[in-house]
Amino acid sequence: MNRRALISALRRAVGGKPKPRFEVTQDMFAGTKWAPPAHMSEPTQVFHGTRTKFDQFDPFSHFGTKRAATDRLKQTKDSAESARGMRRVLQRRIAPGRFATIEDNTGPADIEDLMQQLWRRGDLDERDLVPVREAMQWGDDALAKSRLQKALNEKGIVALKYKNAVEDPGSTSFIVPDPRNITYGMTGLAGAGGMGGAYRDEFDR
């Protein structure tokens, strides 16, 4: 049996052409009493502007609109990295999960500030913060970030969203504590650099 005949036989066996991949949508729950929890997000398309080449996002990296990413590149045009002439806008998705709301935090992630905001808003409790505070007392910022990341993962929080007051003012931006929650698509691999995937990175040298 040749290849074409084999494909035809397989299609007849499964009842015609292959069916599209099954996807869960909000419409599936119309008319029912159950719906996905309001705090659970669908995959969110975001952008990240950078002048450096790397293979993995850092914990607590920032993401936002495409304009926010390009605004960020303009603000760093006089930085040491800009001398290399590289400008990249990376298009990614934040994995589905819970988003916690915080105040504007457009600089490097301030763990103490984030910790206090998450505690005040009830996203984390005092017990969650004890290991983080211990690491900060030891002067180990990397360990503090790692422990805060773990606490957020245990709560199902994949991103911290805020209203950006600097890049694309008024738009929503995100801090993603765990780089594994940054994907190329619905089922893409986590990552950063030019490794392919569902979306093409933009290069403007």
Side-chain angles (χ1 to χ4, degrees), residues 68-198:
T70 55
D71 284 353
R72 178 64 179 168
L73 290 175
K74 292 175 183 176
Q75 292 169 9
T76 58
K77 65 180 181 180
D78 297 324
S79 66
E81 289 84 359
S82 67
R84 302 173 187 171
M86 179 181 290
R87 298 175 69 222
R88 293 196 296 168
V89 175
L90 308 179
Q91 184 178 4
R92 296 291 184 268
R93 285 183 182 269
I94 301 175
R98 181 181 169 195
F99 285 12
T101 301
I102 61 171
E103 298 172 2
D104 190 351
N105 189 310
T106 54
D110 184 328
I111 297 303
E112 177 67 29
D113 177 55
L114 292 179
M115 191 169 59
Q116 292 299 326
Q117 288 197 53
L118 292 165
W119 176 75
R120 287 197 303 268
R121 294 173 181 270
D123 295 300
L124 296 177
D125 56 38
E126 191 64 34
R127 183 174 50 188
D128 299 320
L129 301 180
V130 169
V132 184
R133 287 202 177 99
E134 286 181 348
M136 294 180 67
Q137 289 172 356
W138 300 334
D140 193 333
D141 290 342
L143 180 60
K145 280 188 176 182
S146 176
R147 288 182 172 182
L148 181 56
Q149 179 191 104
K150 180 181 179 182
L152 292 168
N153 282 343
E154 290 174 349
K155 300 289 186 181
I157 297 175
V158 298
L160 314 176
K161 66 177 181 179
Y162 62 91
K163 183 173 288 188
N164 199 324
V166 180
E167 296 98 4
D168 191 7
S171 66
T172 299
S173 289
F174 306 87
I175 296 174
V176 181
D178 191 338
R180 292 174 295 183
N181 289 321
I182 295 297
T183 71
Y184 283 110
M186 290 290 288
T187 58
L189 297 174
M195 298 181 288

